[in-house]
């Protein structure tokens, strides 16, 4: 690993994104707009107070997964990745550079989403706003790293989308959004408890409701970080120079 090469990769990715206004809007604003739509749908009920924290976890996670995976795959299909890796740039440098670049965007995206949910949508937060933002950022970075992992195996943008039923949809279904996990069949509950998005939903809900202490939330945050590290390592090991 070389820090200067990692930072150079991150800078290149950020420069490319800066010249693509549609991607910037998708990354930074769409999650907040979707959260606002959910709040509007349930404006005359108390449902948003229950599902709002889960929406802060869900929408940035999905957007970061899609944008990161498609961007990385496009660089491999156009030959950019092969040219970069022919230089003194390791796979780990490349993956960490992408993670850093999209991680910085995740900080902005999650901060905007939390601020929008609290100030515009009226989501009440009983716990620490700082801790809420930290978990939301980690959740968005998780989406980034899983997107990098998916791009290492996919050959086309369509295949990337096909990875969503494998990597994303089960986490949504088993994360406790539609039904509390303790009401699921035991096998599904065990699987759901282990999935990273479940940790993010639990942590955000705990901070919003004030039902758990900070130690509980930090434990969930560390579990998310462990998944992030595992995804980065696996993506580095499986990244191909080009698409066959």
């Amino acid at each position: 690993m070389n820090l200067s090469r990692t930072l150079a990769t991150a800078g290149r990715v950020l420069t490319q994104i800066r010249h693509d206004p549609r991607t910037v809007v998708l990354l930074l604003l769409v999650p907040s707009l979707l959260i606002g739509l959910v709040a509007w749908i349930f404006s005359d009920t108390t449902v948003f107070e229950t599902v709002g924290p889960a929406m802060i976890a869900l929408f940035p996670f999905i957007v970061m997964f899609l944008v990161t995976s498609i961007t990385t795959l496009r660089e491999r299909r156009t030959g950019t990745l092969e040219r970069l890796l022919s230089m003194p740039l390791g796979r780990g440098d490349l993956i960490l550079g992408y993670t850093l670049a999209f991680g910085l965007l995740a900080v902005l995206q999650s901060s905007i989403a939390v601020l929008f949910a609290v100030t515009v949508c009226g989501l009440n937060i009983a716990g620490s706003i700082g801790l809420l933002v930290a978990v939301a950022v980690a959740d968005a970075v998780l989406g980034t790293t899983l997107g990098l992992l998916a791009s290492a195996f996919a050959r086309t943008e369509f295949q990337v989308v096909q990875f969503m039923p494998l990597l994303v949809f089960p986490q949504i279904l088993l994360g406790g959004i539609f039904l509390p996990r303790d009401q699921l069949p035991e096998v599904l509950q065990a699987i759901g408890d282990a999935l990273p998005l479940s940790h993010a939903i639990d942590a955000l809900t705990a901070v919003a409701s004030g039902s758990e202490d900070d130690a509980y939330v930090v434990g969930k945050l560390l579990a998310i970080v462990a998944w992030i590290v595992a995804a980065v390592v696996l993506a580095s090991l499986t990244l191909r120079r080009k698409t066959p």
Side-chain angles (χ1 to χ4, degrees):
M1 302 295 179
N2 185 291
L3 180 59
S4 62
R5 295 169 188 166
T6 298
L7 293 177
T9 300
R12 183 182 62 81
V13 173
L14 290 173
T15 299
Q16 288 180 335
I17 294 174
R18 183 169 59 87
H19 293 297
D20 187 354
R22 288 174 296 182
T23 298
V24 173
V25 171
L26 175 64
L27 282 170
L28 298 183
L29 299 183
V30 167
S32 296
L33 295 177
L34 292 174
I35 291 171
L37 179 60
V38 174
W40 193 5
I41 291 172
F42 297 109
S43 58
D44 294 328
T45 71
T46 59
V47 173
F48 184 68
E49 289 296 325
T50 303
V51 303
M55 298 302 101
I56 295 175
L58 179 60
F59 294 132
F61 174 85
I62 293 175
V63 169
M64 294 305 296
F65 176 90
L66 283 173
V67 173
T68 305
S69 56
I70 291 175
T71 301
T72 309
L73 178 62
R74 186 174 299 162
E75 294 224 314
R76 193 170 75 234
R77 293 191 65 196
T78 57
T80 302
L81 193 59
E82 186 176 10
R83 292 193 296 271
L84 288 172
L85 291 177
S86 67
M87 300 187 294
L89 180 69
R91 296 181 182 183
D93 298 322
L94 186 74
I95 292 297
L96 284 177
Y98 269 86
T99 302
L100 179 59
F102 283 102
L104 291 174
L105 293 170
V107 172
L108 292 175
Q109 178 199 69
S110 301
S111 300
I112 293 171
V114 170
L115 183 64
F116 186 83
V118 173
T119 60
V120 178
C121 301
L123 181 64
N124 294 318
I125 305 297
S128 167
I129 291 290
L131 198 54
L132 187 77
V133 172
V135 176
V137 169
D139 171 69
V141 174
L142 173 67
T144 292
T145 55
L146 290 180
L148 290 171
L149 181 59
S151 69
F153 293 97
R155 295 188 177 186
T156 66
E157 287 85 351
F158 181 65
Q159 286 186 359
V160 165
V161 176
Q162 290 177 319
F163 270 95
M164 290 194 69
L166 177 64
L167 295 177
V168 176
F169 290 172
Q171 298 194 63
I172 297 173
L173 295 174
L174 302 179
I177 298 176
F178 300 105
L179 185 71
R181 292 199 305 279
D182 57 10
Q183 297 181 25
L184 294 173
E186 290 185 5
V187 173
L188 295 181
Q189 180 181 347
I191 296 173
D193 288 342
L195 295 175
L197 186 60
S198 298
H199 294 295
I201 293 171
D202 289 347
L204 291 169
T205 301
V207 174
S209 64
S211 59
E212 302 285 351
D213 57 19
D214 288 351
Y216 171 86
V217 178
V218 170
K220 294 291 184 180
L221 182 58
L222 291 176
I224 298 171
V225 171
W227 273 93
I228 291 173
V229 173
V232 167
V233 171
L234 190 55
S236 300
L237 295 174
T238 56
L239 180 66
R240 292 172 292 181
R241 291 175 179 265
K242 62 181 180 178
T243 299

